[in-house]
Amino acid sequence: MSSELLTGDSGRETARRARRNQLARAAQWFAALEADPYARVLRTGTGTPDAAEEAVRALGPLHRSTLADTWVTADRAVAEEVLAHPAFDAPGPAGGPPPFRSAVLTLDRASARPLAALTGFGGPLVWAEDAGRLEKRTATWARRLLAALGRRFDLAEDYARRLTGPVLAEQLGLPEAAHERFRRLLSDCRHTLDGLLCPQGHAAARAGETAERALAGLLAEALHRPTADTLRAARITALGAAEPTAVLVSNAVRLLLGEPGGWRRLADDPDRAGEALARTLRTAPPVRLESRAVRRAVTLAGTALPVGARVTLLVAAVNRDPLAAADALPFGLCADLHFGLSAHLVEPIARAALRTLAETLPDLRADGDPVTRLRSPVLRAPASQPVAAGPVPRVLDP
């Protein structure tokens, strides 16, 4: 990076963006030190953000995070209004911080609707005619992958992330020769969703930008009769589905392994994978922060919001809202913008991945502490999640 930063106009531009990235992250840390609870959510490292999220709730249905220049809510009724109201029509100002933002995840609702029609089951882009067919194909890929793993592996990296690549590639109709490159590019894009709200490290941010461009090139070459719309829809679908699916699978396994007898109960009845995912979507959703920009002046929770204001939904906290109906469904993925193209794929893939894992490795157990990735407030994605199968090794007395 040093030679790139010191030579030529492109190097100076890279250096300027890197400084802006560092300053944006420093501002989040400063705000957290000033006891701003939303900034504490953004700053959260490997620990849980639950306490900071509840501190936001204690400040009322809509809290102004002044230093982060964002309105924040943990209130379910307010969150549902944001998703339903036409005034909240984009993920956020494209020109605002952090400086390394995805060039792909920039949909407004008018653009999302026709693209979502392309990615529906049996549509022009997605091969499976329904969720059941997608689950069957995912299970086939999962069994193939598990057969190649040893008795000890990293659940997040070796299973969940390696599985989503070929499954999505097949659904988009890519030739098998392109599957591995597609998977590697998606892996390099794993920071994309976190980067919408939290500045990523320079190397990860640049790798993500490079991978997004390469992904566009790969899809242009490999998609059947690509058009501008199908290319855009395929890129958004891939980025919107890959990492959230891997996180959802990883979180579900972590919760089950942490619950006495939890994994054994699923192994005895793998069809309960859907129930396990529903609990995971409620307590450890794969996307914890959703941000929307105000496109026309609106009043929300009694507060007048001007054009350009931002509102962030604390999804996990919304699911914990004590005032919500007891039978309220998990808030889940907010399927109005980019997830409108991919949310219907995430759960079937995750369900098949979890069911097949339980069928294949009924004696799965944790083999060390899971580690959450740094700078991942949006996903709280696992950096590592070691697991093992088989009996626990006996420790002989000396």
Side-chain angles (χ1 to χ4, degrees):
M1 186 179 79
S2 57
S3 61
E4 180 183 42
L5 291 176
L6 294 174
T7 60
D9 291 340
S10 63
R12 283 191 289 271
E13 173 61 15
T14 298
R16 184 185 68 83
R17 296 178 71 200
R19 284 193 297 271
R20 284 183 58 210
N21 213 42
Q22 290 174 328
L23 289 172
R25 183 59 174 165
Q28 291 179 353
W29 272 81
F30 174 75
L33 293 174
E34 291 295 304
D36 183 314
Y38 174 59
R40 286 166 50 205
V41 171
L42 293 176
R43 194 190 67 176
T44 298
T46 58
T48 174
D50 290 16
E53 292 170 347
E54 291 306 314
V56 171
R57 189 193 314 283
L59 294 172
L62 190 63
H63 164 62
R64 170 69 169 162
S65 176
T66 305
L67 293 175
D69 190 25
T70 302
W71 294 89
V72 194
T73 186
D75 185 284
R76 184 170 186 121
V78 174
E80 289 176 343
E81 184 176 352
V82 168
L83 295 189
H85 202 292
F88 301 94
D89 193 33
F100 290 95
R101 292 178 65 94
S102 171
V104 176
L105 303 180
T106 57
L107 282 179
D108 57 26
R109 287 168 179 164
S111 301
R113 280 189 292 271
L115 295 182
L118 298 176
T119 63
F121 287 121
L125 269 176
V126 174
W127 173 81
E129 61 190 19
D130 54 38
R133 182 65 62 88
L134 175 56
E135 288 190 47
K136 289 179 181 178
R137 290 304 302 160
T138 300
T140 298
W141 285 105
R143 286 190 290 268
R144 183 185 303 181
L145 177 57
L146 288 169
L149 294 176
R151 304 299 285 177
R152 283 183 166 82
F153 57 94
D154 188 307
L155 180 91
E157 199 65 29
D158 299 331
Y159 181 64
R161 290 191 176 103
R162 289 193 68 88
L163 177 61
T164 56
V167 170
L168 291 171
E170 181 181 68
Q171 289 305 308
L172 293 173
L174 305 186
E176 193 158 350
H179 285 194
E180 180 60 20
R181 185 176 175 222
F182 180 78
R183 184 198 66 78
R184 290 199 309 270
L185 290 174
L186 287 182
S187 181
D188 286 342
C189 292
R190 68 179 63 186
H191 303 273
T192 296
L193 285 161
D194 282 306
L196 294 177
L197 293 177
C198 175
Q200 299 297 293
H202 185 76
R206 290 302 304 277
E209 285 192 327
T210 300
E212 280 195 12
R213 289 193 294 269
L215 183 65
L218 173 63
L219 291 171
E221 295 171 2
L223 280 180
H224 179 64
R225 296 179 180 176
T227 66
D229 280 350
T230 57
L231 278 172
R232 189 182 187 196
R235 292 163 69 195
I236 294 169
T237 299
L239 293 182
E243 190 67 0
T245 304
V247 173
L248 180 56
V249 172
S250 301
N251 286 354
V253 174
R254 174 176 55 81
L255 292 177
L256 287 165
L257 292 179
E259 174 188 339
W263 187 257
R264 171 51 60 185
R265 284 190 292 274
L266 178 63
D268 290 342
D269 186 4
D271 286 338
R272 298 179 65 181
E275 297 175 20
L277 286 184
R279 290 195 299 272
T280 306
L281 285 168
R282 185 179 301 281
T283 60
V287 176
R288 297 179 68 99
L289 303 178
E290 276 280 1
S291 183
R292 296 291 182 270
V294 176
R295 291 312 190 208
R296 67 172 189 258
V298 64
T299 297
L300 181 67
T303 301
L305 302 182
V307 172
R310 286 185 294 168
V311 177
T312 298
L313 316 180
L314 304 182
V315 176
V318 165
N319 280 330
R320 298 193 302 266
D321 188 344
L323 300 179
D327 59 350
L329 295 174
F331 204 65
L333 297 174
C334 301
D336 61 328
L337 297 178
H338 36 270
F339 291 126
L341 279 63
S342 58
H344 63 297
L345 305 177
V346 170
E347 288 191 52
I349 296 173
R351 190 160 49 244
L354 188 59
R355 182 193 298 113
T356 307
L357 187 64
E359 292 170 343
T360 307
L361 299 176
D363 50 2
L364 191 74
R365 67 179 191 278
D367 195 36
D369 294 331
V371 177
T372 301
R373 190 167 69 210
L374 294 174
R375 300 198 191 197
S376 185
V378 174
L379 301 175
R380 292 206 76 235
S384 67
Q385 191 169 334
V387 295
V392 179
R394 294 178 59 190
V395 178
L396 301 178
D397 294 331

